[in-house]
Amino acid sequence: MPRSVFEKGADDFKRAGGSRLMFSATLGEVTLDPELFDKIRYAKHLGFRIGMYTNGFLLGSLCKELVSLVDDLVISIGDINPSLEAQIFGIPEVLARKKIQSLFDLVRYNAKEGKPLRITLAMRSQRSFATLYKDSRFCALLDEVNIDFLFGYDNWSGTITSDDLLGVMKLRQPIRKGNIPCQGLRRISLLPNGDIRLCACKVLKNESDELVVGNICHDDFAKIFSSKAINSLHKKFEQQEYPEVCQQCTRYSPLK
């Protein structure tokens, strides 16, 4: 994402009352952005709390920046056993070993600095939590990180089946949507071209779909949320005519 687009989005979001930014890619990996930490510094200057979601493969070279600039870091990880991590992510075991070692390096550096960074491991394991708990390396992390152990897996709008899962992994059960709009319509994401898209949970074909409701480069940010595009999406849910990307989603959560 060009820095000018990001800064425009951050400025407008702050004026609208925003207080937290999450750096995460729906598709891809956020740490591959060469301007990532420049953008984070800009957002910190505006007073945002910074969150980040990463696959963790580049942790080893980013320890100092992450600990000094990021408030909440979520790392997607399958297992602290390198061979199992390699199976889950479909990567060479040598890369899995490097990732896990980098995780421990980050945890140690964070502890040395007084734990300013809140680290959460998004565990996507083929082993049960009870089995993981017997692993001494996993237990060594429990006092240093938060664990978000996934028990039910999203079907990514029907593109993932039980055949794609390993071990104890199970697909979530479909949720009846009814006529109440989803909370995902309250979550916004800023795309590289300036498009504002609701819900960052998933993409079916591409990100230029029905959930795009405006563009930060030429639309008034504050007015977007009373726009025809927003109202149309709410009406579709009320009439149970859901956008294609939402039809088989298992992450539906009704607005309260």
Side-chain angles (χ1 to χ4, degrees):
M1 178 189 301
R3 196 185 309 181
S4 59
V5 173
F6 168 78
E7 291 181 358
K8 175 71 164 58
D11 289 341
D12 286 5
F13 187 43
K14 189 64 178 179
R15 281 194 292 270
S19 60
R20 184 173 186 269
L21 287 182
M22 171 65 81
F23 287 78
S24 177
T26 306
L27 300 171
E29 167 56 27
V30 67
T31 57
L32 293 175
D33 180 356
E35 295 184 324
L36 172 64
F37 290 107
D38 290 333
K39 293 172 183 174
I40 290 177
R41 289 185 185 93
Y42 185 82
K44 294 284 280 190
H45 171 72
L46 294 179
F48 283 106
R49 182 175 180 85
I50 305 299
M52 185 189 298
Y53 198 107
T54 175
N55 60 27
F57 291 117
L58 298 178
L59 287 178
S61 60
L62 304 176
C63 284
K64 291 184 179 180
E65 290 88 349
L66 290 171
V67 171
S68 64
L69 293 173
V70 178
D71 299 294
D72 300 286
L73 179 68
V74 182
I75 304 168
S76 179
I77 186 169
D79 207 293
I80 45 81
N81 179 310
S83 63
L84 297 178
E85 174 74 3
Q87 288 178 30
I88 292 167
F89 277 88
I91 58 175
E93 188 169 328
V94 64
L95 184 56
R97 289 184 182 279
K98 183 178 179 181
K99 172 181 174 177
I100 293 166
Q101 183 57 54
S102 295
L103 167 63
F104 279 91
D105 291 343
L106 174 64
V107 166
R108 281 192 290 268
Y109 183 76
N110 191 44
K112 177 185 174 184
E113 296 298 307
K115 296 185 181 180
L117 175 62
R118 184 175 185 267
I119 303 172
T120 298
L121 299 187
M123 297 293 302
R124 311 298 186 242
S125 181
Q126 59 182 290
R127 295 196 284 174
S128 68
F129 189 84
T131 303
L132 271 169
Y133 196 72
K134 297 175 183 178
D135 191 311
S136 60
R137 295 200 80 195
F138 177 73
C139 290
L141 291 168
L142 294 181
D143 290 334
E144 307 295 334
V145 303
N146 299 290
I147 303 294
D148 177 14
F149 189 90
L150 191 65
F151 291 95
Y153 288 76
D154 183 50
N155 66 4
W156 204 258
S157 294
T159 60
I160 293 176
T161 70
S162 56
D163 292 337
D164 299 308
L165 305 182
L166 301 171
V168 301
M169 297 176 179
K170 301 293 181 184
L171 285 177
R172 291 180 180 177
Q173 293 301 308
I175 301 172
R176 185 180 181 276
K177 296 179 176 62
N179 60 358
I180 301 176
C182 180
Q183 289 191 33
L185 302 185
R186 289 272 181 88
R187 305 187 187 106
I188 64 171
S189 56
L190 180 61
L191 305 184
N193 65 352
D195 279 349
I196 295 175
R197 184 179 186 268
L198 305 184
C199 186
C201 287
K202 64 179 56 62
V203 171
L204 186 56
K205 296 177 181 176
N206 57 63
E207 291 178 304
S208 298
D209 58 13
E210 294 175 88
L211 300 188
V212 173
V213 294
N215 187 287
I216 200 69
C217 299
H218 52 72
D219 294 321
D220 185 287
F221 185 85
K223 292 180 180 179
I224 286 173
F225 294 95
S226 60
S227 67
K228 291 182 179 179
I230 293 283
N231 292 333
S232 175
L233 285 170
H234 279 260
K235 282 186 177 180
K236 283 192 173 186
F237 270 84
E238 291 165 2
Q239 297 167 0
Q240 300 184 40
E241 298 174 355
Y242 316 112
E244 186 179 9
V245 69
C246 304
Q247 290 174 9
Q248 296 189 58
C249 177
T250 57
R251 296 176 64 99
Y252 169 75
S253 180
L255 280 173
K256 298 179 181 178

